[in-house]
Structures are given as C-alpha cells and as structure tokens.
Amino acid sequence: MKIEKICIVGGGTAGWMTAAGLAHRLQNSNIKIDLIESNQIGTVGVGEATLPHIRFFNNTLGINEASFMKETKATFKMGIEFCDWGKLGDRYIHPFGDFGMPINGIEFYHYWNKLRLSGDTSHLGEYSYPVVAAQLGKFRRPDTDSSKIESTFGYAYQFDAGLYAKFLRRHAEKIGVLRTEGKVIHINCNNENGFIESVKLENETVISADLFIDCSGFRGLLIEQALKTGYDDWSKWLPCNRAIAVACETRGKSLPYTRATARKSGWQWRIPLQHRTGNGHVYWNEFISDDEAAHQLTNTLEGPALTEPKQLYFKTGKRRVMWNKNVVAIGLSAGFLEPLESTSIYLIQEGITALIELFPDKTFPKSDMVEYNQRMDLHYERVRDFLLLHYVATQRDDSEMWNHFRNLKFPESLQDRIDSWLGRGYIARYEFGAFLPPSWVAVMNGQNLNPKAYDLRVNSSSSLEITQKVKSLSASINHAVQNTPDHQSFIELIGASINGTT
Amino acid sequence: MVDKPINSILVCGHGLAGQMTLTALSHNLPDNIQIIYLNLKDTQSFDQLYGSSLRPTAYNFHLKLGVTEPNLLQAGKTCFSYGTGYKNWGGKSWIQSFHLPFPIWDKTPFHHYLMQRNERLEPYLISALAAKTGVFAHPPRDAKSPLSNAEYGYHICPDDMTNLLAHKGVPSNVAIINGTLKHITHGKGNKITSIALESGQIISADLYIDCSGPEAKLLSAVGSTTQSLQSHSAFMNNIPIDKLGPPMSIVEAYSFGWQSNTPLNGSVNRLTVFNSGSESDAHMSHGYDPDIHLSFSTGRRQRAWAENCVGIGQAATVQTPLTAVPLMLLHRDIDRLLELIPITDDMDIERREYNQRFDDDCENMCLFQDALFASDGLPTGSFWDEIRNKPKNPKLTRKLTQFESRGYLVSYDFEGFNQEDWTILHFGMGRRSKRYDLKIDQVDQVNTLKRLTSLRTACETIVKKMPPHDNYISNYLNYLEKRNGS
Ligand SMILES: Cc1cc2nc3c(=O)[nH]c(=O)nc-3n(C[C@H](O)[C@H](O)[C@H](O)COP(=O)(O)OP(=O)(O)OC[C@H]3O[C@@H](n4cnc5c(N)ncnc54)[C@H](O)[C@@H]3O)c2cc1C
C-alpha cells in the first residue's frame, strides 16, 4: 500500500528543501506532494550560513552552482571565525578542512603539539590551507588531487535563505509540487489511531494526505500542537534563548567566512553575502534585556542597517521523537540547537535524507519510525556536544554568563573528550556526525585548551626532521594561497556574481 | 606528585600477538623507549584460532609493521583471498567475497534493484565469480574496470606471519628474553611492579602488554576477569596439496559445529570446531588425526586495559575464526595501542579511551559473526543450541529488522565490516526485504535490465581472461625472486 499523497506544512527553508528533495526523489512515482504556506505567518527569516554538506544536496537536485549563487546572492564559506571565545582578544578560524597533512600516517596536529610544547609560537591555523586562504579573503574550489594541500578542505555557502527557499520553490514546482497559500486553522485526526488525516485552511480548503511533513517552524503545528509529542529541553546545556537579527551594508573586502563574536551574554554573528551583511545577536535573556541586546547589535554594525531588527525567541532542544504516527518534523519544528555552527540546514538535510531512505508505506511500519528517530537523535546529540564545547572551553570571567559556563557540569561524553585532548592531544572519534576530529581540534585549540603532552609516536622523527617538514608545509601553503584568487574575483570568474551577466 | 614518564614497555607473550605487538611498537615508537620482549616458553599456542583469513584492510596495517605484500607472499604459504565460501550454512551456500563499492544507480543502492527482480547478488560480484572459478589478478588502476572493485585479502598461516616478523631484525631499544613466568609483583592500586622469571631474573617496566593468549597471565593478575560465552574444541591440520586451490576458504556447517578449509600455498588448512560432546563426529569429518587439538572458551575480558596492563589479541578476547574477526580484532588492538601509548604512569585517559574503543570494536565486529548464526536453518545439537540461546545483541536486531523490513543497512561507527559485506551476507543467507526503495519502480525497467546484463557480462568476460590463482602466485613469486636477485 504505497503512499499516494504527501502534505508539507510550511514553506520556509525546511519546507522547500523537503519539497524539492522529495519531489526530485519521487519523480515519476505518481505521489502527489502538496505544500502549504502562509504569507500571513511568514517564515523565521534567518539562517544564512551553511555547512559543506549542502553542496551534496544541491548536486543531487542537479542545481548549477553559479546560477544558484547568483540567485541567492551567495558567497563561499570556508569556515567560521570565532572572536573573543577563549579570552577577550582571541580569534581563530574553525575551517571546513584539515590542519596540514599527516606525516608518517600521524595527524599533523600531534607534531604541532610537540612544537608548541617546545616553545614554538606559531598558530595551528598557519598550517591550514583553508584558514590562511580565508584570512586573506581568497577562494578556489578544492583540488581533486589529494596529494596537494589545496585539496585539504571543503566549502559551503552564505546565502539569503529567503531567496534559497524561493529558488527551491521554483525547482520543486517545476517537478510537480503543488503550492497552496493559506493558514492551517484545523487539524483533523483519526479517532482510532490519532493519525492526521487532513488539515483545513482558513478559506475552508481541506487538504488530506497519507504522510504529513511538519515544516511549520518553532510552533510545530502538527508534531506538537496536534500530536503533543513533547520536547527535550536542552537549555540547561545551551541556554541562549533569544536572538535579534538585522542586515547592514557591507564594508571592506568580501570574506569567505562567517564570524561569531562572543559577547557578555551571548554572541554575535556576521555573515557576508554579496549584497549585504547579515548580523545577529544570540543571547540568554537571563542576563541581558531585549533592548540592551538590540542596542549592542546595532552599535556594532559595520555599515548602515538595511532592515528593521527582527526579534526571535527559541528554546534549544529537540522534539522527543521527530517522526510520530504519520507526521515527520523537519526543520525548526524538529528542534533547534542555536546557530553557532550553522547546523540547522544541515540537520534539515539529514532529516530529508533519512526520510527518503526510510520512506514509509501506508501501513507506517513502526520500524521505519524508530530507525528514523534513532538516527536523527544521534545527529542532534553529537551537534549539541560540539556546540556546548564552544561555551565551556572558555577562560572568560567578565560576565555572569561566562561564569555560569565555567562552572557548568556538562555531559560526561564531552568531559571525557576534553580530558583526553588536554591530557595527551587525543581526539575521540566518531564516523557519523557533522563534526570530525579536525573540527574538535580547531575549537579546543582555538579556545586555549592546550594539551600538556603529545602522541609519543611523533618522537620517532627527529626534531630537525619535524621542523623541516613543518617549514615545507608552511611554504607550500603560502605558495598555494598566493596562487589562489580573491574570493570576489572567483565569484565573478565562475559567473556567480550578482553584478555580472550570465 | 609528578607523573613519571613512560620509559619502558614489557611485552609478555609468544606467537602471533606477541611478535606483532613487538614489531608494531618497535617500528612506531621512538627509540628512547625501552621495549622488552619476554618470549614466554612452555605456553600453549592458540594462534590457530586467529584463523588464516586476512581482509583487504590488512594491507595497510602490515605497512605499519614494515611488511609489504611481497614480504608476505614470500613468507611461507601465503596466497591471495577473495573471501570465504559458506557452504550448507543454514541450507544456504554463498561466497562472502570482498568487494568495494557496489554500483549506485539513480542514487539508489544496488541491492534494491536485485530485490525488486528477486535476483541473486553473486553474478554481479566479480570477486565471488573469480573465487569460484579459481582465478586471480591484481585489480587494475583503471577504476572503470569491474575488476577494480574486486578487493582482495590473503590466506596466511599465523606461524608464517610470526616467523616473518621475528626475522625482521631487532632495533637497539628492544631486548628479548626467553623465559617462563614465575611470579607477578603488585604495587599501589594493584599495578604490576615487576615480573619474576623461573630463571630468577626480575623484569620491571612502566607498561605491561599481555600477549600471553587466552590465559591472559598478566591481565588476569590485575583482576580483569573473563566473561566467557561458549566452550569449544578444535582440530587443526595442514594437509599438503600439489596444486594451490582457489582464492577462497570454504566454511561448512555440520551438526557438531563447523569446518573450514583454507587453501594455502602448498597445503590446505583444515580447522574443525565442535563441542566436546561431539568429538567423534567431528573427528570423522575432520578426516585426519589432528596435528593440533585445542580446547578453548570464547569470550572477552571485562577490561582489556586494567591498571598498567593491556591485553592484546586473545588475552583480551577469544573469538572463533568463522570470519576474519579474530585477526581484525588483533589488528585493531594494536592500532589502538599505538594511538594510546601512555605518556606517563598516570594512564587514566588512555585506559578509559582504550577500553571504550575496545568495547565498541569487540561488540561491532562480533555483530557480523553473530549475524551468521541468525538463521533458522542451522543444525540442532548442543553446539548450535548454545549459540541460539545466547541473547541477541539489540544492535544486531536493529540491523536485521531494518534489512528485512526494507533493505536498509544500519551502520555503526567504525564497524570493520562495510555495507557491501553486510549486503553480501544478507543476500547469501537468503534474507530479503519485504520492501525495496521506491525509486526502483520509477526507473525504466528495460534500462535496468540492460545495465544489469552488461555488468554481469562484463564480470563473466573478465573472469574468463583471469589466470588461475596457482599460476598467478607462481608467476608473481618468480617475478619477485628475479627482482630481488637483480
Ligand atoms: C537566530 C537564528 C539564526 C539562525 N541561523 C542559521 C544559520 O546561520 N544557518 C542555518 O543553517 N540555520 C540557521 N537558523 C535556523 C534556520 O533559520 C532554520 O533552520 C530554517 O530557516 C528553517 O526554518 P523552518 O523552515 O523550519 O521554519 P520557518 O522558516 O519558521 O517556516 C515555517 C513555515 O511554516 C508556515 N506555517 C507555520 N504555521 C502555519 C500555519 N498555521 N498554516 C500555514 N503555514 C504555516 C510558515 O508560513 C512558514 O512558511 C537560525 C535560526 C535562528 C532562530
């Protein structure tokens, strides 16, 4: 008994990504896909920075990079620069890529740890091609030859999420998704099994389906308001619960990275797009008022504001189960872990991929649902620990929020990871998750968690050999970066500039 | 109190695990760390339980020991392997071949196409076809050739590997002592402080590596108890042959247990595993008076690293060589140890990480071995009943449920067996899912048929051109000899 009708409620980034992803996958299947969105409610209207995984999503849909970038006014993103996180005045880039290349099969950072402990004052970032290139505002696509230093990174985009949703909408409608504008005012559930049968719009239109995807944002219209699924509140780990966002004119060179600057009661983002810069202040309302947060944000804008400040409220955590009965929650309705590492769109993508792989039939086997929920929980939990790391790896004591984090008892899994790094520069690994060892190294090192020892295998090479190899690595990075075009010129070169002709 | 840096490591053991650990340490650690190898005499060897099958990943592992493929092939009876043929296993026979990767058409895993058409997987596995035909060739560099997907491993005799490593020469920081263990002295917190030998010699080190086999002479002395699963016996013979067999071993299920025959260069290694109550049946089937007769219990130590003592190989876990799991675990143990050689005598971090990874590796790898027993068609009898009565790991239940329900392959972190291995296993054991990927019904069936036919034909054509395993090995060895001579 195959699913015949799918109804996606919500036309934000999650809704249109899901619509495009499913429609692409289900082309020629006779499965009808409806998407309902309400102009009256609108979308959350933020979410501009992404992770490299998005390229895989776009490629699957057959999206041309240059036209996508042009239409969404996108820039390239090689990582995130974190300012003032460890201590005031600190800055480091968490790159989408590696630090150096392994020497004798041992990760480069072990060698660097040895050098550092012997008094070398160079920064780990100096040995990362994406860090050095990003700092100088340069960009190219990764080399396909894995022996080259220019192959050691990935990249993502910074774009206007509203335009991305529009872009995907066109794509999805072309391949059969039917869009209905209107506000859902009633949800009709089956009396016996509680499955959702249909939704009713303000204009009395009734849309029925076998499978409902809840992309209605924070409100979780179907998954929570109708099915009362419950929410795992993670604010004891990630307590920031409000944000204020505003776009401004860009000043200076186009930079291929996002910036996250720690503030006294939260942090502030800067996301450069082609036509403007997105800014936002994420904060914990326990320690700062909304007015003060807005004031701090507007005071630090690099150019004149282009939009009115937009206030957002959230509670970090995840839906107790993201697939409940015949409803799958994707996007903010499934959970939100705050935007520090641009993980929301990635988690949307994971949700879509898992749904495609576990696409149910009308009998809705429990095993599909259980597997989906287990798989998504793992992703959320792993992201949560990584985000929390940024807050707890701090020496700041200049505000109540930072004092709170310095005294926080955090999950054992995270404590163990930090101890292993500090004790001997060892990173506990996993295979499935957004953040692999180089990311953990970047943040721990960047926030002054410096190991007191290094992997003994490094001593098999003499200090002279190591110094020579490190020097030659540094030279090859500098040489490669010199030959890397400016970020802006590269955007123009590939025909992705909003000012260029196609 | 300041922690004392690790200056010396004692490897206490014999045979494969001892020699391999010694080589790995001496090859990868700096020479200011003193390594003592206490080569235990008068200790029964259970090395045959490591089995004779090496997976393709062994290639890279061996390089870390300074062992290349030519070294390996020139050592004793080594030959190539495309996998294992399971015969009469729960009423099914299939070749569990090494293969990477399967084609993905229209973003849909290959096995869904086969499930829709109710087809077998084997005709599309070049490594399985080659194994069955008894031919072998190294994969070409051209990724377009189906032969490039035929991964290969090796059949080895554990003693050959031990000898090969033993003859690699000893660096200056390694001291070798042959002796018999008499007494272990403990210090604060049950840590080992020294070891006394029958000869009267006393040896001490900062870290003790136990490679003494299932008895785990050191690890048991620091209180790591065994969690035993089953008691088994095994007969082993190396039966001389004139002509090298196909590049695959054969494992067959019998009511008393199972038997494997692994072709080696010059002999076939026959291993018969049974429960003590069925010895005469096992003996009859074995067909020879055993050269080696072992009694052993499978299971694992509660902690692979306790205090300042790490158990490697069978000292940490004993598994039957029904698959390549025992050698895979040994390799993993050594890799893990190298990454976590403690820096000082405060080993809390290393111990915690090591034990966590050991638990995961042990559990995840055994899932594959356990999955072989998840069949209704396997014989009855005490050997099989004991296995059947063992509680099924929920992680395996999840894997089986998902595959049987919809052909979905659940993966855990760093499992050791990849999705291709699992697909071959499920298909081989006759597991089919009730549903297949939705995409399959949307694709052009004529085109799918064309694609499948062309893949199958390409595999058949290539296999026809491949030389017999026997010829390939002798030509390869001749070539190596000439190259070394010139
Ligand atoms: C401060 C902040 C910063 C962020 N930054 C990033 C970032 O940098 N990178 C990143 O990946 N993510 C970021 N995110 C997350 C990102 O914004 C969201 O994941 C993304 O926008 C998806 O949102 P959504 O589609 O789930 O919800 P929304 O955008 O809220 O869309 C909900 C949709 O549901 C519809 N709807 C709701 N109720 C009804 C109804 N009753 N009837 C009909 N339609 C209805 C709405 O009209 C709308 O179309 C950020 C989030 C916040 C809060």
Side-chain angles (χ1 to χ4, degrees):
Chain A
M1 288 263 281
K2 289 196 172 136
I3 297 278
E4 291 166 67
K5 286 175 81 182
I6 302 173
C7 174
I8 300 169
V9 176
T13 315
W16 283 113
M17 279 182 80
T18 307
L22 286 182
H24 181 82
R25 185 67 189 170
L26 302 175
Q27 254 168 327
N28 313 325
S29 70
N30 295 329
I31 298 179
K32 188 169 170 267
I33 304 178
D34 280 305
L35 184 143
I36 305 168
E37 63 178 322
S38 156
N39 290 344
Q40 190 188 331
I41 294 175
T43 66
V44 69
V46 278
E48 303 179 318
T50 59
L51 293 184
H53 308 73
I54 193 160
R55 280 164 45 223
F56 183 74
F57 183 79
N58 285 355
N59 287 344
T60 304
L61 298 184
I63 288 173
N64 171 279
E65 184 173 69
S67 45
F68 144 77
M69 288 185 71
K70 204 170 174 156
E71 291 208 30
T72 60
K73 305 192 179 206
T75 53
F76 289 105
K77 176 181 174 193
M78 296 172 101
I80 302 180
E81 182 183 45
F82 289 90
C83 303
D84 298 337
W85 283 82
K87 293 194 300 301
L88 281 167
D90 282 354
R91 59 179 57 215
Y92 70 93
I93 289 186
H94 163 203
F96 298 139
D98 291 331
F99 294 98
M101 284 171 124
I103 302 175
N104 300 331
I106 301 166
E107 293 302 334
F108 175 80
Y109 57 82
H110 292 299
Y111 292 89
W112 180 81
N113 267 333
K114 172 172 176 161
L115 291 181
R116 184 184 51 77
L117 286 162
S118 345
D120 189 304
T121 52
S122 61
H123 290 278
L124 184 58
E126 292 171 32
Y127 305 104
S128 166
Y129 170 81
V131 170
V132 179
Q135 275 165 340
L136 293 175
K138 299 201 164 197
F139 182 81
R140 55 161 288 173
R141 294 196 186 103
D143 205 296
T144 47
D145 177 352
S146 64
S147 65
K148 291 195 178 155
I149 195 74
E150 298 96 316
S151 72
T152 57
F153 73 106
Y155 70 92
Y157 310 103
Q158 300 161 137
F159 56 47
D160 182 325
L163 294 178
Y164 185 51
K166 273 197 193 130
F167 180 82
L168 291 177
R169 172 179 160 190
R170 266 208 315 281
H171 189 87
E173 284 185 319
K174 236 189 259 167
I175 49 175
V177 174
L178 221 75
R179 171 185 178 264
T180 305
E181 200 286 318
K183 184 176 170 188
V184 173
I185 49 157
H186 181 72
I187 296 155
N188 178 30
C189 295
N190 182 291
N191 286 340
E192 277 166 31
N193 61 14
F195 279 42
I196 294 183
E197 290 181 333
S198 60
V199 292
K200 191 164 122 191
L201 309 189
E202 230 168 13
N203 66 3
E204 301 287 315
T205 309
V206 172
I207 296 181
S208 59
D210 305 310
L211 171 67
F212 285 84
I213 320 279
D214 186 346
C215 297
S216 66
F218 285 128
R219 54 180 58 73
L221 193 67
L222 311 183
I223 194 86
E224 197 55 54
Q225 293 185 11
L227 298 186
K228 311 267 178 281
T229 302
Y231 194 73
D232 290 334
D233 180 352
W234 285 348
S235 32
K236 76 170 166 176
W237 311 124
L238 300 170
C240 284
N241 55 359
R242 294 189 181 188
I244 184 139
V246 64
C248 73
E249 281 180 19
T250 304
R251 291 284 179 265
K253 200 171 169 175
S254 164
L255 295 175
Y257 59 86
T258 294
R259 179 175 295 144
T261 306
R263 299 281 181 227
K264 280 190 161 52
S265 308
W267 61 275
Q268 189 172 323
W269 79 74
R270 176 193 185 273
I271 305 177
L273 312 188
Q274 287 194 45
H275 61 310
R276 60 165 164 82
T277 293
N279 306 276
H281 187 178
V282 175
Y283 56 96
W284 185 1
N285 77 329
E286 180 94 2
F287 298 124
I288 188 170
S289 69
D290 295 341
D291 285 347
E292 177 59 18
H295 184 68
Q296 276 188 19
L297 176 66
T298 45
N299 261 0
T300 47
L301 295 182
E302 66 193 51
L306 296 171
T307 54
E308 280 303 309
K310 180 168 187 162
Q311 179 78 57
L312 298 133
Y313 304 91
F314 56 85
K315 186 197 280 176
T316 60
K318 64 162 197 64
R319 207 58 64 191
R320 197 148 294 148
V321 290
M322 293 175 202
W323 180 336
N324 188 4
K325 301 186 191 288
N326 62 338
V327 174
V328 179
I330 294 181
L332 296 172
S333 60
F336 184 56
L337 300 179
E338 82 139 273
L340 187 53
E341 283 279 359
S342 328
T343 43
S344 287
I345 291 177
Y346 155 79
L347 289 166
I348 291 173
Q349 208 181 318
E350 284 301 323
I352 298 168
T353 309
L355 177 59
I356 286 173
E357 286 180 26
L358 294 161
F359 197 80
D361 56 32
K362 278 189 189 169
T363 63
F364 282 91
K366 197 167 168 224
S367 59
D368 293 349
M369 185 177 87
V370 169
E371 183 59 35
Y372 182 93
N373 289 329
Q374 250 177 310
R375 183 166 150 172
M376 292 308 292
D377 281 357
L378 185 77
H379 285 298
Y380 271 76
E381 277 160 25
R382 288 185 167 170
V383 168
R384 177 199 67 191
D385 278 9
F386 187 62
L387 295 184
L388 180 53
L389 172 71
H390 298 67
Y391 285 101
V392 297
T394 190
Q395 301 83 54
R396 284 187 65 161
D397 57 3
D398 56 314
S399 73
E400 285 183 86
M401 185 187 84
W402 293 112
N403 288 338
H404 164 87
F405 281 116
R406 277 191 301 101
N407 296 318
L408 185 72
K409 177 149 174 41
F410 35 96
E412 206 176 314
S413 51
L414 179 58
Q415 183 66 61
D416 287 351
R417 274 173 177 278
I418 293 178
D419 291 347
S420 298
W421 172 253
L422 287 176
R424 55 170 294 132
Y426 174 86
I427 299 281
R429 295 165 302 168
Y430 47 68
E431 200 177 350
F432 303 107
F435 300 106
L436 300 180
S439 293
W440 289 83
V441 170
V443 176
M444 296 210 250
N445 171 261
Q447 296 188 200
N448 312 312
L449 297 190
N450 291 320
K452 64 174 192 228
Y454 57 89
D455 191 317
L456 281 183
R457 290 174 297 166
V458 163
N459 288 343
S460 299
S461 307
S462 70
S463 293
L464 184 67
E465 271 173 309
I466 297 176
T467 315
Q468 276 169 349
K469 284 204 167 135
V470 169
K471 258 198 191 142
S472 113
L473 171 70
S474 189
S476 74
I477 289 177
N478 289 332
H479 182 254
V481 170
Q482 262 172 25
N483 291 321
T484 302
D486 259 4
H487 177 220
Q488 183 57 38
S489 349
F490 190 80
I491 292 177
E492 283 158 20
L493 186 78
I494 63 162
S497 164
I498 50 170
N499 302 319
T501 45
T502 15
Chain B
M1 204 179 74
V2 180
D3 300 328
K4 182 175 159 297
I6 293 287
N7 291 316
S8 58
I9 299 175
L10 175 86
V11 179
C12 169
H14 57 97
L16 185 61
Q19 199 60 56
M20 205 174 250
T21 307
L22 173 67
T23 311
L25 294 179
S26 62
H27 212 260
N28 291 278
L29 293 187
D31 49 18
N32 64 338
I33 295 184
Q34 182 67 31
I35 301 169
I36 308 156
Y37 183 42
L38 170 57
N39 190 15
L40 290 176
K41 292 199 298 195
D42 311 323
T43 308
Q44 188 187 3
S45 169
F46 287 84
D47 280 0
Q48 293 305 326
L49 296 181
Y50 282 114
S52 3
S53 288
L54 281 170
R55 280 176 62 78
T57 45
Y59 180 91
N60 282 334
F61 176 80
H62 288 151
L63 290 182
K64 278 184 237 169
L65 308 181
V67 173
T68 60
E69 180 170 289
N71 294 155
L72 196 64
L73 281 157
Q74 285 176 311
K77 308 186 203 60
T78 311
C79 66
F80 294 110
S81 170
Y82 277 135
T84 303
Y86 289 89
K87 207 169 140 191
N88 190 24
W89 193 267
K92 305 280 177 207
S93 296
W94 78 99
I95 298 172
Q96 185 66 42
S97 60
F98 309 125
H99 202 283
L100 268 181
F102 290 161
I104 295 181
W105 295 332
D106 298 307
K107 307 255 167 357
T108 310
F110 184 61
H111 64 276
H112 288 273
Y113 289 88
L114 301 183
M115 288 191 304
Q116 182 217 24
R117 309 175 74 83
N118 203 16
E119 279 206 45
R120 288 185 324 125
L121 180 56
E122 199 164 291
Y124 302 95
L125 301 178
I126 190 156
S127 43
L129 295 182
K132 205 158 142 181
T133 319
V135 295
F136 182 85
H138 275 102
R141 278 188 205 284
D142 175 10
K144 285 197 207 92
S145 162
L147 189 56
S148 67
N149 297 328
E151 295 255 299
Y152 69 92
Y154 308 95
H155 293 156
I156 56 146
C157 176
D159 292 346
D160 287 343
M161 188 75 200
T162 311
N163 289 335
L164 171 68
L165 298 172
H167 286 96
K168 278 188 68 65
V170 180
S172 59
N173 58 326
V174 173
I176 297 184
I177 300 167
N178 293 306
T180 308
L181 197 69
K182 186 175 176 199
H183 178 70
I184 298 166
T185 308
H186 299 271
K188 213 171 117 199
N190 209 21
K191 272 188 175 178
I192 300 177
T193 48
S194 66
I195 279 178
L197 306 185
E198 290 289 358
S199 63
Q201 191 176 357
I202 293 182
I203 322 168
S204 60
D206 300 316
L207 177 70
Y208 293 79
I209 317 276
D210 186 345
C211 302
S212 66
E215 217 186 320
K217 291 175 198 270
L218 306 191
L219 200 54
S220 53
V222 287
S224 181
T225 52
T226 39
Q227 299 171 331
S228 183
L229 293 175
Q230 268 113 32
S231 297
H232 293 314
S233 296
F235 294 146
M236 202 289 290
N237 283 74
N238 266 325
I239 306 158
I241 46 158
D242 294 334
K243 192 173 174 331
L244 171 62
M248 74 165 162
S249 58
I250 298 287
V251 174
E252 200 166 349
Y254 293 93
S255 55
F256 59 78
W258 54 267
Q259 185 176 86
S260 69
N261 283 287
T262 308
L264 294 166
N265 200 356
S267 65
V268 165
N269 177 285
R270 177 168 296 172
L271 182 76
T272 304
V273 176
F274 55 96
N275 264 12
S276 52
S278 333
E279 188 168 329
S280 60
D281 287 353
H283 191 220
M284 200 178 325
S285 168
H286 192 71
Y288 293 85
D289 280 338
D291 287 340
I292 296 175
H293 181 175
L294 301 170
S295 293
F296 62 97
S297 293
T298 58
R300 49 161 292 182
R301 294 271 151 190
Q302 176 208 5
R303 286 172 300 158
W305 185 327
E307 313 309 338
N308 58 345
C309 177
V310 191
I312 297 284
Q314 290 163 346
T317 176
V318 178
Q319 305 292 337
T320 54
L322 178 60
T323 62
V325 160
L327 279 172
M328 289 164 80
L329 282 169
L330 173 63
H331 293 179
R332 283 273 173 109
D333 284 354
I334 291 173
D335 273 337
R336 215 184 292 123
L337 177 67
L338 289 176
E339 277 183 61
L340 286 162
I341 287 292
I343 290 156
T344 68
D345 60 355
D346 171 18
M347 305 174 188
D348 283 355
I349 289 170
E350 288 84 357
R351 199 166 36 231
R352 172 173 45 73
E353 291 290 349
Y354 186 97
N355 284 334
Q356 181 61 54
R357 277 175 62 176
F358 172 79
D359 289 351
D360 291 345
D361 284 341
C362 215
E363 180 180 34
N364 289 342
M365 288 203 194
C366 289
L367 294 179
F368 194 80
Q369 192 124 305
D370 289 351
L372 274 163
F373 295 117
S375 159
D376 293 337
L378 286 165
T380 48
S382 67
F383 180 91
W384 300 100
D385 294 343
E386 258 181 49
I387 291 170
R388 253 190 290 274
N389 293 336
K390 200 178 99 176
K392 203 184 273 170
N393 187 322
K395 281 174 134 179
L396 178 59
T397 307
R398 181 175 167 196
K399 273 182 177 281
L400 298 182
T401 307
Q402 285 305 323
F403 189 81
E404 282 166 354
S405 154
R406 56 177 311 134
Y408 176 79
L409 295 159
V410 173
S411 297
Y412 302 107
D413 291 323
F414 308 112
E415 256 188 57
F417 291 94
N418 54 41
Q419 296 220 335
E420 283 78 4
D421 296 322
W422 279 98
T423 309
I424 296 172
L425 181 77
H426 291 319
F427 267 72
M429 293 187 73
R431 290 186 197 115
R432 292 292 187 279
S433 75
K434 297 191 196 91
R435 295 172 289 163
Y436 48 84
D437 196 291
L438 214 65
K439 188 80 188 171
I440 302 288
D441 287 334
Q442 302 161 33
V443 297
D444 177 3
Q445 297 301 316
V446 179
N447 191 32
T448 301
L449 185 64
K450 250 196 228 156
R451 278 165 149 181
L452 288 171
T453 313
S454 113
L455 178 58
R456 209 174 47 227
T457 321
C459 291
E460 285 162 6
T461 312
I462 290 174
V463 167
K464 273 193 198 132
K465 290 187 196 151
M466 287 164 72
H469 184 208
D470 188 31
N471 289 5
Y472 194 87
I473 289 264
S474 49
N475 287 342
Y476 189 57
L477 289 175
N478 283 341
Y479 158 77
L480 292 176
E481 207 168 300
K482 269 196 209 132
R483 196 183 65 174
N484 295 347
S486 60

